Amino acid sequence: MSESAGGNLDHVLTESRLFPPPAEFTDQAVIKSQAQYEALYEAAKNDPEGFWGAEAKEHLHWFEPFTKVLNWNSPNVEWFVGGKTNACYNCVDRHVAAGRGDKAALIWEGEPGDTRTLTFADLQKEVSKFAAGLQSIGVQQGDVVSIYMPMTPELVIAMLGCARIGAVHSVVFAGFSAEAIADRNNDAKAKVVLTANGLYRRGKVLPLKETVDEALAKSPTIEKCVVLQRIEDQETPMVEGRDIWWHDLVADQPEDFPAVPLDSEASLFILYTSGSTGKPKGIRHTTAGYNLWAKRTFEWVFDHRDDDVYWCTADCGWITGHSYLVYGPLAAGATCMMYEGAPNHPAEDRFWDLIEKYKVTILYTAPTAIRAFIKWGDEHVDKHDLSSLRLLGSVGEGINPEAWMWYHEKIGGKRCPIVDTWWQTETGGIMMSPLPGVTATKPGSCTRPLPGVVPVVVDEAGTELDVDQGGMLCIAQPWPGMLRGIWGDEERYVEQYWSKFPDKYLTGDNARRDPDGYYWIMGRIDDVINVSGHRLSTIEVESALVSHPAVAEAAVVGRPDEIKGQGIAAFVTLKSGEPTDELRKELRLHVRKEIGALAQPDEIRFAAAVPKTRSGKIMRRLLRDIAAGKETAGDTSTLEDYAVIAKLRENDES
Ligand code: WT7
């Protein structure tokens, strides 16, 4: 294991380099000075209603004006009460109405190299037809539509089409298994599912429709399935009366189907993410506040200018794709790049090739991708002219200083500021980030809060801690983009985020604030791990393992991984069968089937028993140390059985 592994806190704790924004950048930036930032920050903090009321009036279209900016009755919040708006209108029609219909909204490239550009006017026609099509198959306001699609323009059209009629989308990342889709369909009581007959990944076709068919056998609430023909000449079984081709659905629909005025607090989407228990939770976001938050944070953090070509490499299956490929940049009228496939197909220079070809000016990607690029070698980068780039972003996990430096030097040519953006599915958009024209950056720190974000670092008693003391990161004031609940589970919402400290939002992260007021995220307080920037609950993986007939018990922990940040280590005790490599393989496949490839354990160790405290809790700290190959640190006197540890050490597969 190399020292440069992501998540290595030692580096972050000693990091003191400071990178002020280049003067040329600051000269042209939207926010140019510390004073300007501070004025915004203070205004939003001291007078949230005045500040956000003015922002909402200026930055969203209102069919009917709101009558009250904020109702805050912790943990219940309403923003822009009484107003009617529409997120699809804000992202599309608003620009067409303002005469910007000919500007490119989406520049798309498929993995095989096929390309499409959609202007805002094109997008308006497409979302109109699709929204009307959805309505024609019975989708109504408030109905949940599950989306399991490849990264094609139709995925964006699908999301916006739902928003246009007030249907609530629930995008399920196309790497999840049939089981995972069915769980989400059932939890959300989804009525319709949208999919494609395949997607391209590293030159192969993945048959998405087959996976959806398997899921639909267990999804009783689904009435219709709309299938995009992404792959031509592909045998695609269609179920009579249930399945309908996308092209047939939109064939005779109007190009001017209007956006429906919706309450500010109408649900816009749910997005499932992992919590500290086994069951993923459907994070619920609403229309006006979320859309405003996505737009304004996009404009501030990415210093958006009209001629930018902006590329967010995230998949729409994650919140980053929702907020920074769709709702933020499109509401801002930005031109967005979108790419379907793998970064190393047909070769390891695909990203750099795309940046050169489309003259991308802003790149927003994840540390796990950056670490993979470093591993693949500089020669892939050196082949390309990346001089169009002016700003770089990072998201998903802390960026380790080594990756930061490579990104800065090799991709940014030392001239592009890096914005390390900290946020969560729940926060709707970026919470802490440098402002590229203002903030001197420190590799590994997400620096300072955006206007409207009031972070506090507290101890167990809820007392605010001093500078440089690590503690639980909370947010002390409501912000427009915050989650409104967990779909169908009000209790869990309160319990998860508002029970420890009733007046503060509990992020689940540890952090410290340094003497300059910069924040350093120090990992989770719960059993959530971060694998390639994706959140997974260790308990979720444990449940998947235990559902295999041979497994008696399983304990799962994160371990450092050079590329993924964290990998997954599983300790398994068997009911039956032999602890063989064959069984290891089978268990990995089993987890893949239960959740998806991203949850497959990197390592499985068989053990006689899982070490537990006397009260029966799995000793995760100990297992983490063992998985990381470290000597056992700390007090183990509560260990049920010391022999168990010795046994685990012996059975080290690596
Ligand atoms: C968790 C949220 C942010 C959207 C994508 C992931 C970790 C995220 C950073 C960062 C340090 C980060 C946190 C957070 N995280 N960004 N810049 N620095 N940690 O969203 O799946 O909801 O995960 O990712 O632990 O709580 P998510």
Side-chain angles (χ1 to χ4, degrees):
M1 180 62 51
S2 130
E3 279 290 276
S4 68
N8 189 332
L9 284 177
D10 303 346
H11 291 251
V12 166
L13 290 173
T14 55
E15 182 60 49
S16 60
R17 283 171 288 195
L18 199 64
F19 294 83
E24 312 82 79
F25 193 99
T26 300
D27 281 348
Q28 297 183 35
V30 179
I31 300 179
K32 290 187 191 337
S33 68
Q34 187 66 22
Q36 209 183 337
Y37 159 70
E38 263 154 33
L40 284 171
Y41 189 82
E42 290 305 315
K45 182 175 175 182
N46 300 330
D47 178 20
E49 296 207 39
F51 184 86
W52 290 112
E55 286 280 321
K57 269 186 204 146
E58 183 182 341
H59 292 280
L60 297 180
H61 165 83
W62 294 96
F63 295 100
E64 276 175 42
F66 48 90
T67 49
K68 187 147 196 306
V69 176
L70 172 64
N71 274 337
W72 173 230
N73 183 9
S74 167
N76 297 312
V77 71
E78 291 176 317
W79 284 93
F80 315 118
V81 184
K84 286 198 190 291
T85 182
N86 184 293
C88 179
Y89 189 97
N90 287 312
C91 291
V92 181
D93 304 59
R94 200 170 185 232
H95 307 303
V96 179
R100 294 192 297 268
D102 291 339
K103 183 177 174 180
L106 282 181
I107 300 176
W108 174 80
E109 189 162 312
E111 196 187 73
D114 41 345
T115 64
R116 269 169 79 191
T117 297
L118 279 91
T119 64
F120 282 97
D122 296 334
L123 201 53
Q124 188 181 38
K125 289 178 193 153
E126 298 294 331
V127 292
S128 290
K129 289 196 287 183
F130 187 69
L134 275 182
Q135 208 175 53
S136 75
I137 55 170
V139 176
Q140 293 171 1
Q141 197 174 318
D143 285 344
V144 177
V145 175
S146 244
I147 304 181
Y148 187 76
M149 289 179 68
M151 283 288 284
T152 53
E154 282 79 6
L155 172 48
V156 176
I157 292 163
M159 293 165 72
L160 292 171
C162 288
R164 198 167 186 82
I165 57 170
V168 182
H169 59 71
S170 166
V171 184
V172 180
F173 172 61
F176 277 116
S177 67
E179 286 298 325
I181 305 169
D183 285 349
R184 286 158 177 74
N185 284 345
N186 293 329
D187 187 81
K189 302 194 175 56
K191 189 167 178 183
V192 166
V193 60
L194 315 176
T195 189
N197 68 342
L199 70 75
Y200 292 102
R201 194 75 190 173
R202 293 199 180 84
K204 283 202 206 114
V205 170
L206 303 188
L208 292 190
K209 174 67 164 51
E210 284 173 25
T211 310
V212 166
D213 281 340
E214 214 182 308
L216 291 193
K218 297 179 197 164
S219 309
T221 60
I222 298 282
E223 295 168 14
K224 298 274 180 213
C225 173
V226 180
V227 187
L228 174 75
Q229 190 179 22
R230 168 70 184 116
I231 319 286
E232 277 170 45
D233 307 323
Q234 158 113 340
E235 184 90 33
T236 310
M238 299 287 277
V239 174
E240 181 78 41
R242 185 196 73 186
D243 299 352
I244 172 166
W245 286 106
W246 179 294
H247 51 262
D248 291 334
L249 181 75
V250 299
D252 299 315
Q253 302 297 347
E255 289 183 345
D256 57 354
F257 185 79
V260 176
L262 296 168
D263 282 346
S264 292
E265 287 296 337
S267 295
L268 176 61
F269 66 85
I270 45 185
L271 184 59
Y272 283 85
T273 187
S274 294
S276 42
T277 71
K279 191 171 168 283
K281 49 195 178 184
I283 302 299
R284 185 171 73 90
H285 283 287
T286 58
T287 300
Y290 168 82
N291 202 185
L292 180 66
W293 190 250
K295 177 180 197 273
R296 295 303 282 145
T297 54
F298 170 78
E299 289 170 335
W300 288 329
V301 172
F302 296 104
D303 184 51
H304 176 243
R305 299 179 207 160
D306 197 39
D307 58 356
D308 275 318
V309 177
Y310 160 85
W311 184 20
C312 166
T313 68
D315 192 285
C316 286
W318 313 110
I319 191 69
T320 307
H322 282 60
S323 303
Y324 297 108
L325 202 157
V326 182
Y327 291 108
L330 292 180
T335 297
C336 299
M337 261 284 303
M338 182 177 186
Y339 169 60
E340 176 189 34
N344 54 355
H345 189 84
E348 283 79 0
D349 67 341
R350 188 64 187 269
F351 273 24
W352 321 123
D353 180 56
L354 286 165
I355 289 171
E356 179 173 8
K357 181 168 167 191
Y358 295 101
K359 303 213 167 18
V360 172
T361 59
I362 304 171
L363 175 67
Y364 191 30
T365 194
T368 185
I370 296 167
R371 291 190 297 262
F373 297 138
I374 297 174
K375 189 176 146 205
W376 293 340
D378 290 359
E379 63 273 23
H380 303 292
V381 184
D382 293 338
K383 274 192 233 160
H384 295 280
D385 174 8
L386 303 182
S387 61
S388 57
L389 286 171
R390 68 180 191 91
L391 176 58
L392 303 174
S394 172
V395 62
E397 62 179 301
I399 173 166
N400 50 304
E402 289 74 8
W404 197 101
M405 288 307 298
W406 185 87
Y407 200 27
H408 172 69
E409 287 170 4
K410 204 71 210 165
I411 306 306
K414 297 189 184 162
R415 76 186 174 276
C416 305
I418 295 180
V419 288
D420 173 359
T421 60
W422 174 83
W423 58 295
Q424 310 177 296
T425 304
E426 291 88 340
T427 68
I430 298 168
M431 299 293 274
M432 294 202 254
S433 167
L435 293 177
V438 175
T439 318
T441 49
K442 301 181 188 181
S445 167
C446 58
T447 76
R448 302 185 63 181
L450 294 182
V453 177
V454 183
V456 280
V457 177
V458 300
D459 64 13
E460 278 291 331
T463 311
E464 188 163 357
L465 292 169
D466 277 344
V467 155
D468 272 343
Q469 285 193 292
M472 283 174 281
L473 177 65
C474 296
I475 311 293
Q477 282 186 18
W479 66 101
M482 68 196 284
L483 79 164
R484 299 300 196 267
I486 293 176
W487 192 255
D489 200 344
E490 187 60 27
E491 244 168 69
R492 189 172 176 195
Y493 168 64
V494 176
E495 147 70 28
Q496 181 91 48
Y497 305 105
W498 305 95
S499 59
K500 210 172 182 92
F501 314 113
D503 56 341
K504 296 183 196 72
Y505 166 77
L506 182 74
T507 66
D509 282 341
N510 277 314
R512 82 183 158 95
R513 186 166 49 95
D514 75 12
D516 296 327
Y518 282 34
Y519 288 81
W520 300 77
I521 305 295
M522 298 159 65
R524 302 279 307 186
I525 61 175
D526 50 18
D527 295 322
V528 167
I529 53 176
N530 189 321
V531 180
S532 302
H534 303 312
R535 226 156 106 174
L536 270 176
S537 141
T538 51
I539 299 167
E540 200 176 336
V541 183
E542 284 162 8
S543 314
L545 284 166
V546 172
S547 72
H548 187 282
V551 174
E553 212 176 5
V556 168
V557 293
R559 62 157 203 200
D561 184 287
E562 210 173 325
I563 303 291
K564 298 196 272 192
Q566 282 188 300
I568 304 173
F571 299 85
V572 169
T573 65
L574 295 178
K575 252 193 261 183
S576 57
E578 289 301 308
T580 58
D581 280 344
E582 222 20 63
L583 183 58
R584 274 198 183 101
K585 220 188 264 164
E586 193 180 315
L587 291 179
R588 277 206 193 96
L589 280 176
H590 181 71
V591 174
R592 189 187 182 111
K593 195 174 151 286
E594 289 293 307
I595 306 176
L598 58 105
Q600 279 190 112
D602 297 282
E603 175 185 14
I604 294 179
R605 299 192 199 200
F606 295 111
V610 167
K612 291 195 184 144
T613 62
R614 292 201 189 281
S615 63
K617 281 185 87 174
I618 294 174
M619 301 186 82
R620 290 183 193 278
R621 182 172 46 88
L622 180 75
L623 292 180
R624 274 197 292 270
D625 284 350
I626 294 171
K630 280 190 213 157
E631 278 313 302
T632 320
D635 176 23
T636 56
S637 60
T638 47
L639 253 190
E640 198 62 81
D641 181 2
Y642 287 88
V644 167
I645 306 173
K647 184 87 191 136
L648 290 172
R649 285 249 166 71
E650 273 165 33
N651 195 342
D652 184 343
E653 72 169 324
S654 53

